[in-house]
Amino acid sequence: MTGGGTLDGPMQAPAPGIPARTADREDWRRVLHAASAVIGPLALRFPGHGGTIALAALAGLALVLEVARHTIPAVQRAVGNLGRAVFRPSEKRGISGPTALAFGYLATWGLFDARSAAAAIVVCGLADPAAALVGRRWGRQGGKSVAGSAACAGTAAVTLLACGYSAVPALIGGAVASVAERAPWRGADNVLMPLAVGGVLAMLGLR
């Protein structure tokens, strides 16, 4: 999932060859994706297993919506009308980007220590939209680009530095994030990026 632009500022002009409606939808996806970064710090604030319960509830809700929108005509119509600004036409079938992101966050939280998982969630929330924004503006259209990958790596590294990590794990985490972001399968980066970054932070055991 990716979204972008600002909530209170003008949206960017569509890139050449991209319809205005499609560009607006991608802008909102980047906004929502970036907003998901707060899930990491929020999960840390829950006592005990509260973070796990909250993330499991979020993933469960996303799954219920997925099943409902594929099987219940009324929900299909509602999602078609209300979710048109966010859901891509290709997501009419299969798992949507937001649902993949919710399960990526849950898996990361369940597999790694809380601080590594929270930092990985923040990285995924911010680095993926940065890659999409830069890639659309300065990279090639219709796929991953070197410019987007560089933006992903830089954003991830700066984010990890802001989370209190030292330069070495921040740079390694940034490199790993950029590799995961280039996954060729639709929506796979929403799962692979938090898992890859959380895993490398947990293995390094450095801050």
Side-chain angles (χ1 to χ4, degrees):
M1 172 186 176
T2 52
T6 57
L7 288 173
D8 56 353
M11 293 295 182
Q12 292 185 23
I18 299 180
R21 179 177 297 178
T22 299
D24 287 346
R25 182 186 63 238
E26 295 304 312
D27 284 337
W28 281 112
R29 284 176 71 96
R30 280 192 286 274
V31 168
L32 294 174
H33 195 126
S36 75
V38 304
I39 293 174
L42 286 177
L44 273 178
R45 297 183 66 87
F46 286 103
H49 297 290
T52 302
I53 294 171
L55 285 166
L58 180 64
L61 180 62
L63 182 60
V64 168
L65 178 59
E66 284 291 334
V67 173
R69 77 185 182 94
H70 288 306
T71 59
I72 303 176
V75 176
Q76 291 175 341
R77 290 192 296 270
V79 171
N81 293 330
L82 300 176
R84 188 177 298 137
V86 175
F87 287 101
R88 292 168 177 159
S90 61
E91 291 174 336
K92 288 182 179 179
R93 298 180 182 275
I95 300 297
S96 69
T99 298
L101 190 67
F103 276 90
Y105 286 175
L106 175 61
T108 302
W109 189 265
L111 288 172
F112 309 117
D113 64 277
R115 290 193 176 277
S116 296
I121 289 171
V122 177
V123 165
C124 183
L126 299 179
D128 196 26
L133 183 64
V134 172
R136 194 185 83 180
R137 188 172 183 86
W138 287 289
R140 65 185 178 88
Q141 300 300 324
K144 309 288 185 177
S145 67
V146 173
S149 295
C152 178
T155 301
V158 170
T159 299
L160 290 174
L161 289 172
C163 289
Y165 286 86
S166 59
V168 171
L171 290 173
I172 294 174
V176 168
S178 69
V179 172
E181 187 272 334
R182 293 187 69 89
W185 312 285
R186 179 174 63 84
D189 55 340
N190 289 339
V191 176
L192 294 178
M193 188 186 297
L195 284 174
V197 175
V200 76
L201 293 177
M203 285 189 295
L204 289 173
L206 300 173
R207 291 188 62 80

